[in-house]
Amino acid sequence: MTVIDSDPQPAPAPHEDRHSTPEAVTRLKRARLADRTAGRLIRIGGLGVLVAVVAIFVFVGAEALPLLRGARLTQGPELKAASAVAAVATDEYVAGVSAVLDTGELVVLDAKTGAVLRTEAVLPRGRNAVASVDVRPNGQLFVAGSADGKLAAAWVTPKVKFDAQRVRTVTEDVELTEPLAIREDGGAITRVAARLFEEDKVFAAVAGPKHLSIARFKLGAARARVATLDAPAVFDQGAEVRSLSVALITDVFRVFVGLSDGRVLRFDAEWSEEPALHESIEVSKFPVTALDTLIGGETLVTGTSEGRVASWFGVRASTNAQSWDLTRIRNFNDVGAEATVVAASARKKGFAVFCVDGSGRIDFATTGDTRVSIPASGAPATAASFSPKNDTLLVGDASGRIRTFAYSDPHPEASVTALFGKLWYEGATEPEMRWQSTGGTDDFEPKLSISVLVFGTLKGVVFALLFSVPIALLAAIYTALFLPTRIKAIVKPTLEIMAALPSVVVGLLAALWLSPLAERNLASAFAMVPSFLLCFATLVVVWALLPRHVRNAWTHSAGVLGVSAIAVLLAVALAACCGGVVESMFFGGDVKAWMRETLGLGYDPRNAMVVGFAMGFAVIPVIFTIAEDAISNVPKSLWAASEALGASRWQTTIRVVLPAATPGIFAALMLGFGRAIGETMIVLMATGNTPILDMSPFNGMRTISACIAVEIPEAPHGDTLYRVLFLSGTLLFVFTFLCNTVAEVVASRLRRRYGRAG
Amino acid sequence: MPMTAEGPISTTTPTRLDPLQPQRARPTDDPSAGGDAVKIDVRNVSFWYGASQALWDVSLKIPARKVTALIGPSGCGKSTLLRLLNRMNDLVPGARIGGTIALDGVDIHDRKTEVEILRRRVGMVFQKPNPFPKSIYENVAYGPRIQGIGDRARLDAIVEDSLRRGALWNEVKDRLDQSAIGMSGGQQQRLCIARALATAPEVLLMDEPCSALDPASTAKIEDLIHELRSSVTIAIVTHNMQQAARVSDFTAFMLVGKLLEHGPTEQIFTRPTKKETEDYVTGRFG
């Protein structure tokens, strides 16, 4: 091709060899080089695209991958105290480990070396002291009770100093509250639990085997306000107190008492108010030997003498019910032996549970998963707590050993059930799928159900396609087969320009113009459907009545467009006029009220209907263009063959052209689907972003793409939410990928089946 | 696909027809038709593609149950004339026709003539085989189905009969459900003929049916034309002089839109009256 010489040769010799001259050879070589270079460049380009796609997938997937990582627990130094540990805690630096022993002493040990840094007598030296600890970000409140009915408190706070080399040294300050006589009868205190309230107030629940009282005092005070709780009926039946816990929810103290008959009592009190018994629930047939409330105070975890562990929280009988009852939410794996300690995690809704052989486990309450197991120590675990930063777990046992574990579990919330299934979240009336990624407080329970987002995405797509597919396909058929070439040359580019409209503009219009308009004129919006059908049906009838030459003249000019435009305007005008009448005639003057009362449907201004309309607007050009091309590309010879056999235009369209164009039409639909599924701005602006599972066209949804756009700027880097968003992005990627692959496979099959067309 | 006009193309000057008064052409005896009944009577037909005129005052009588060949150099208007006979040019934008074409004495542009019915009576086979991307069976059954024949047994009978008449039955009877696209070119063309025969046409128009085929396939098609002659009127456009001589009873020679000569094939090829005809049939130009 490159060797053709266009210069007129002056009478070439009949057998002149023009193909082996040096110029020809050079030219051929150059052409070959160009071919090879182009081939390589194209191959590099193609491979580059493949690599880029895979790289994006790998990057996005890699961000989500750590969600799969389980908890990590590594045993740290083992510390030794002189006697059985009654309560143990550490500061946020994990510098000093403080423990109250059953001798009534408080010891502060170096967390690394185990060296005794400090020893204080909280109670007069004796035996069988009990204690509990409330670990706060700024210190640890130990409360200890003695066998002779006295209660003492120790407020341990870390003091941080930096020396000249900027080396940090942490020393523990101890502020003791002298023993206060709580039990007038001098009976033993066998269980104690306390919470610090407003800086320096201590709310302590105190129990003997058959005694319950509440002591309230200020740190350092010489007296306590004591209220004996009235539960003699329980004690008369032979029950004894086996475990005790106090939760503080805003300013209400909730006291849980685990009894030897398997029941748990709940008392509620405010600081200045007398406690009252609110509930008594049967947890088990066996003694409730350990209990604690998780962060936030709503969820109670109980452990029994035969090793059963369960979580409970208040559930309202119905959404509108005033009162709630503690309900068993979840059973965890058995610990195998008597549970002795339950310790709530300091950051998330996890907890550690230990039993008599010193073995234990960390479970995550929201999902019910066991995150990690802790080996037995040989002696019964008697105390456990997490450090304020939740990075260290301390376990004390009856032999005075304190084991420390470095603990890390960044994404306990991301289980398969949490992401894709139903979970029973705090405060809910039943297990559900929910997306609520952030709350106002640290003790918020994140609800990260990707299913909700997938549902929202599909809902948006379904409504968009419901609106756009019929219009786009009919328009494509009409344009390709029935419209004169001259008008087609105007119509097609015009529709394609629709695709160039930035989706943010479409979204803006949908959110700020269409959605209020539709809400104000809801009846008219509904009337639009019959109105359009009526107007176009009338148009068709009128058209058929027109004389043939008028019709011919109009089909060849833009007249047909003008007529259609008039029909559209008429339809809109009719709907607008009829709206009010229809509303008062059929809907009692208010469509929204009628919907709510008769159909039980709410109406959100930003809803799937509006989104379907707006996103459909964005999808129509995609489907239209490709489908129109596919139909136009059906060989004219097929058309001629069908017509020559006496088929009408419509028969030819239905029986020959459309089947032959099926692969292309299918590809158009899949592309439209892909466009709708990945669409962000329109759904972001027009859906209201309400993460609800409801197929109603009159409320919103939250799609994956919009959710990523909204939440990724606020998601802390490396946080569970951040990774879950990346996971949903990966899902979207896989979804689109599968969609396109399936589309391609199906299209190529159809192509093979329908031969050359498409 | 230029799907523009609706209804027939306008019939205007020079011999404008009054659409309200369909002309009923009188069956006439024509010396060239050798006394046979005239199936299609083309009278003074001129034809325009927009501003350019393609046919000039063409008159031709096609006798029933004979093979009439239209020959002439490329662009002489023979395909245009052929396509006029079943109004395949209707949908060409800006097409205009003058004169009349009568099928069995009835003007095919008459308002009472439905174009779909006309095309069922006057079938067509195209230059390039154009089977539908469907099974062999469905290709043949297409026409009957369009006519509303849904009865399976009847369809089966029509399909078999058409394929037999198309000399294809023995080759495809075991694979009727396979795609027609997989067949050879010659088979495809015979399928197209069988497909056209399935609508039971009285006339079969063939527009260079062998130009895309190899000699063996061409021979089969020519045999087929011989077979069909007894039952169907055939008009065939061909570039191949030998083919025209072999298959046709009558030959019409066209040149730049005009019908120059028309008569029994033997006469055209041996004793043409016009110099141009002689030059053409002897291969001096073309």
Side-chain angles (χ1 to χ4, degrees):
Chain A
M1 37 203 151
T2 46
V3 287
I4 288 169
D5 200 340
S6 59
D7 287 350
Q9 295 282 324
H15 293 290
E16 188 203 31
D17 192 353
R18 280 186 292 156
H19 306 298
S20 49
T21 59
E23 294 84 40
V25 170
T26 320
R27 239 179 262 139
L28 189 63
K29 271 187 184 162
R30 216 179 295 149
R32 284 223 181 108
L33 183 71
D35 269 11
R36 266 202 303 275
T37 316
R40 277 189 200 131
L41 277 177
I42 290 164
R43 198 168 306 157
I44 289 170
L47 285 177
V49 169
L50 274 181
V51 168
V53 169
V54 172
I56 290 172
F57 181 74
V58 166
F59 171 74
V60 175
E63 285 297 314
L65 209 57
L67 286 177
L68 297 176
R69 224 187 65 191
R72 279 190 197 153
L73 192 78
T74 42
Q75 184 145 16
E78 192 175 293
L79 316 178
K80 190 81 183 110
S83 176
V85 181
V88 65
T90 182
D91 57 74
E92 63 172 311
Y93 313 101
V94 197
V97 171
S98 314
V100 172
L101 309 179
D102 70 343
T103 56
E105 280 174 317
L106 172 82
V107 290
V108 179
L109 307 171
D110 188 292
K112 293 202 177 56
T113 61
V116 178
L117 302 174
R118 193 164 176 177
T119 306
E120 299 279 349
V122 179
L123 287 167
R125 205 176 156 72
R127 273 276 155 193
N128 301 329
V130 289
S132 81
V133 62
D134 181 14
V135 180
R136 315 282 300 194
N138 60 335
Q140 307 125 38
L141 173 72
F142 287 93
V143 173
S146 70
D148 56 359
K150 291 208 166 54
L151 189 71
W155 175 235
V156 182
T157 48
K159 289 281 171 284
V160 184
K161 279 187 200 123
F162 290 96
D163 64 13
Q165 277 79 47
R166 311 202 120 258
V167 174
R168 187 181 66 195
T169 49
V170 181
T171 51
E172 310 286 339
D173 255 15
V174 179
E175 181 189 342
L176 293 177
T177 301
E178 291 301 313
L180 309 164
I182 301 299
R183 290 193 69 168
E184 302 285 319
D185 56 1
I189 294 178
T190 55
R191 292 282 182 260
V192 65
R195 290 282 165 189
L196 189 67
F197 178 59
E198 288 178 352
E199 307 277 311
D200 60 346
K201 294 175 184 160
V202 179
F203 181 101
V206 174
K210 287 185 180 293
H211 170 89
L212 265 178
S213 56
I214 301 293
R216 281 162 284 195
F217 57 93
K218 278 189 164 187
L219 284 174
R223 287 181 57 84
R225 191 150 58 90
V226 178
T228 304
L229 297 181
D230 196 25
V234 180
F235 298 134
D236 290 349
Q237 287 157 16
E240 288 184 1
V241 176
R242 293 295 298 273
S243 51
L244 198 59
S245 162
V246 177
L248 174 58
I249 300 166
T250 339
D251 53 359
V252 176
F253 295 93
R254 199 168 280 169
V255 181
F256 293 100
V257 185
L259 299 175
S260 57
D261 63 357
R263 271 184 296 173
V264 167
L265 307 179
R266 172 167 74 90
F267 296 86
D268 282 3
E270 287 184 28
W271 177 258
S272 53
E273 191 185 82
E274 290 313 301
L277 177 64
H278 272 264
E279 221 177 329
S280 165
I281 53 164
E282 192 172 326
V283 168
S284 157
K285 295 208 159 35
F286 298 91
V288 180
T289 48
L291 47 76
D292 197 8
T293 51
L294 302 185
I295 183 168
E298 294 287 351
T299 303
L300 173 74
V301 174
T302 57
T304 63
S305 66
E306 32 115 56
R308 290 270 160 79
V309 182
S311 67
W312 306 70
F313 53 71
V315 174
R316 294 179 201 282
S318 70
T319 329
N320 299 324
Q322 287 297 311
S323 64
W324 50 268
D325 301 305
L326 270 183
T327 306
R328 184 191 297 267
I329 303 303
R330 202 165 283 116
N331 290 321
F332 298 85
N333 296 328
D334 283 5
V335 282
E338 180 180 320
T340 51
V341 182
V342 171
S345 156
R347 286 270 164 95
K348 289 177 173 170
K349 308 269 174 189
F351 62 91
V353 55
F354 291 94
C355 55
V356 283
D357 61 356
S359 69
R361 234 176 39 207
I362 299 176
D363 283 0
F364 193 68
T366 309
T367 59
D369 290 343
T370 292
R371 303 298 300 175
V372 69
S373 300
I374 299 154
S377 68
T382 50
S385 78
F386 287 88
S387 68
K389 282 188 174 163
N390 211 38
D391 53 358
T392 304
L393 172 64
L394 304 171
V395 193
D397 66 21
S399 68
R401 227 176 332 171
I402 301 170
R403 288 185 289 165
T404 65
F405 298 93
Y407 169 63
S408 145
D409 190 9
H411 311 299
E413 306 96 331
S415 76
V416 173
T417 338
L419 295 177
F420 301 104
K422 288 182 172 183
L423 279 185
W424 201 338
Y425 296 107
E426 283 182 353
T429 50
E430 59 188 359
E432 59 189 0
M433 294 182 191
R434 215 158 136 191
W435 179 274
Q436 193 179 351
S437 54
T438 42
T441 54
D442 288 343
D443 52 30
F444 173 77
E445 186 176 37
K447 299 154 189 82
L448 304 170
S449 175
I450 292 180
S451 299
V452 175
L453 305 182
V454 171
F455 176 88
T457 308
L458 292 180
K459 182 181 171 186
V461 169
V462 163
F463 279 98
L465 293 186
L466 269 183
F467 174 70
S468 60
V469 166
I471 292 181
L473 283 189
L474 290 176
I477 294 170
Y478 183 70
T479 311
L481 302 181
F482 296 89
L483 211 54
T485 328
R486 217 149 30 93
I487 300 171
K488 181 177 156 184
I490 304 169
V491 169
K492 205 172 175 217
T494 310
L495 260 162
E496 279 161 3
I497 283 175
M498 269 171 70
L501 199 62
S503 62
V504 64
V505 175
V506 179
L508 191 74
L509 283 175
L512 298 184
W513 173 72
L514 183 62
S515 103
L517 189 73
E519 194 195 3
R520 271 200 309 275
N521 308 300
L522 199 54
S524 296
F526 289 159
M528 211 70 96
V529 178
S531 163
F532 259 85
L533 291 177
L534 187 71
C535 281
F536 274 85
T538 316
L539 176 74
V540 168
V541 172
V542 170
W543 182 258
L545 291 177
L546 285 177
R548 188 172 264 200
H549 65 269
V550 178
R551 276 190 277 167
N552 279 350
W554 280 7
T555 30
H556 280 284
S557 68
V560 66
L561 293 186
V563 172
S564 306
I566 290 169
V568 169
L569 287 180
L570 272 179
V572 172
L574 182 68
C577 294
C578 292
V581 182
V582 169
E583 189 158 19
S584 55
M585 269 176 66
F586 298 107
F587 303 115
D590 186 352
V591 178
K592 268 182 273 178
W594 181 84
M595 273 167 51
R596 203 168 40 245
E597 283 152 22
T598 316
L599 306 177
L601 287 174
Y603 185 87
D604 295 336
R606 296 193 181 171
N607 55 43
M609 199 173 66
V610 172
V611 168
F613 204 75
M615 199 145 78
F617 190 81
V619 171
I620 283 174
V622 178
I623 300 182
F624 169 81
T625 307
I626 309 224
E628 203 276 338
D629 283 345
I631 297 169
S632 289
N633 287 340
V634 172
K636 288 172 184 59
S637 62
L638 291 186
W639 185 278
S642 172
E643 293 242 302
L645 289 166
S648 69
R649 217 180 330 169
W650 184 240
Q651 286 173 320
T652 306
T653 304
I654 290 296
R655 290 171 184 241
V656 175
V657 179
L658 289 187
T662 308
I665 292 174
F666 185 77
L669 292 182
M670 290 315 282
L671 226 77
F673 184 81
R675 171 81 166 83
I677 212 169
E679 175 53 50
T680 309
M681 283 319 290
I682 295 173
V683 287
L684 182 68
M685 297 169 91
T687 57
N689 286 315
T690 42
I692 45 174
L693 281 170
D694 189 343
M695 209 53 202
S696 160
F698 306 116
N699 54 32
M701 64 272 192
R702 177 176 289 210
T703 69
I704 293 179
S705 55
C707 189
I708 292 175
V710 170
E711 300 203 2
I712 206 85
E714 293 170 13
H717 184 269
D719 183 58
T720 308
L721 172 60
Y722 175 88
R723 299 205 186 284
V724 167
L725 288 176
F726 267 90
L727 178 66
S728 56
T730 314
L731 276 184
L732 196 59
F733 188 100
V734 171
F735 221 44
T736 323
F737 187 81
L738 282 182
C739 250
N740 287 345
T741 311
V742 167
E744 191 45 50
V745 168
V746 172
S748 71
R749 276 193 154 190
L750 288 172
R751 225 171 279 143
R752 228 174 302 141
R753 194 167 135 206
Y754 290 112
R756 58 201 154 177
Chain B
M1 234 157 290
M3 298 301 105
T4 50
E6 184 181 290
I9 52 170
S10 47
T11 58
T12 51
T13 50
T15 55
R16 187 181 170 83
L17 293 168
D18 186 350
L20 296 175
Q21 297 208 324
Q23 294 197 347
R24 185 153 183 108
R26 284 177 302 276
T28 48
D29 285 345
D30 185 84
S32 63
D36 290 310
V38 173
K39 188 71 185 174
I40 296 179
D41 188 3
V42 179
R43 283 189 169 197
N44 309 106
V45 164
S46 298
F47 185 77
W48 292 263
Y49 289 114
S52 68
Q53 188 163 3
L55 294 178
W56 310 74
D57 198 25
V58 172
S59 291
L60 172 69
K61 292 184 193 333
I62 297 175
R65 288 192 200 82
K66 299 284 180 209
V67 178
T68 304
L70 297 174
I71 60 170
S74 296
C76 69
K78 50 193 190 306
S79 283
T80 302
L81 179 59
L82 194 76
R83 292 166 66 85
L84 280 177
L85 301 183
N86 71 344
R87 287 175 55 182
M88 284 302 281
N89 284 336
D90 271 15
L91 295 174
V92 177
R96 230 155 21 98
I97 184 171
T100 57
I101 301 170
L103 175 68
D104 285 341
V106 180
D107 185 357
I108 62 168
H109 288 105
D110 189 301
R111 272 166 52 108
K112 286 181 200 134
T113 307
E114 297 285 348
V115 67
E116 286 83 8
I117 303 292
L118 171 70
R119 288 175 183 159
R120 285 170 202 171
R121 295 178 61 195
V122 183
M124 189 160 193
V125 175
F126 297 83
Q127 188 171 354
K128 270 172 70 182
N130 55 355
F132 298 126
K134 297 170 184 274
S135 69
I136 293 169
Y137 184 95
E138 284 303 321
N139 261 280
V140 180
Y142 184 82
R145 280 194 202 277
I146 291 293
Q147 291 172 12
I149 298 172
D151 176 36
R152 186 76 194 186
R154 213 174 140 204
L155 277 179
D156 286 349
I158 292 175
V159 168
E160 180 175 347
D161 179 54
S162 304
L163 285 170
R164 280 190 193 282
R165 290 176 72 194
L168 197 59
W169 174 253
N170 288 331
E171 290 165 56
V172 300
K173 62 184 175 195
D174 298 324
R175 49 182 182 119
L176 290 176
D177 57 341
Q178 285 182 19
S179 172
I181 304 299
M183 304 167 85
S184 77
Q187 285 178 324
Q188 287 191 3
Q189 193 62 303
R190 275 181 284 146
L191 178 67
C192 290
I193 293 172
R195 182 176 66 184
L197 292 173
T199 59
E202 301 153 31
V203 181
L204 196 56
L205 309 176
M206 299 177 125
D207 190 358
E208 299 184 41
C210 303
S211 68
L213 303 182
D214 61 278
S217 303
T218 302
K220 279 189 181 161
I221 303 260
E222 287 179 8
D223 290 346
L224 185 53
I225 292 173
H226 273 291
E227 302 270 321
L228 292 172
R229 176 155 41 186
S230 57
S231 55
V232 183
T233 305
I234 294 173
I236 180 169
V237 166
T238 178
H239 266 123
N240 185 331
M241 292 306 111
Q242 283 77 25
Q243 186 171 62
R246 278 196 300 268
V247 302
S248 69
D249 303 305
F250 296 93
T251 299
F253 173 62
M254 293 181 73
L255 192 63
V256 286
K258 293 183 176 112
L259 184 77
L260 246 66
E261 197 170 348
H262 177 215
T265 300
E266 194 195 341
Q267 179 200 320
I268 294 287
F269 277 85
T270 54
R271 308 179 302 275
T273 57
K274 296 233 165 69
K275 172 95 170 53
E276 291 91 335
T277 314
E278 188 179 354
D279 287 349
Y280 185 73
V281 296
T282 52
R284 245 166 261 162
F285 83 99

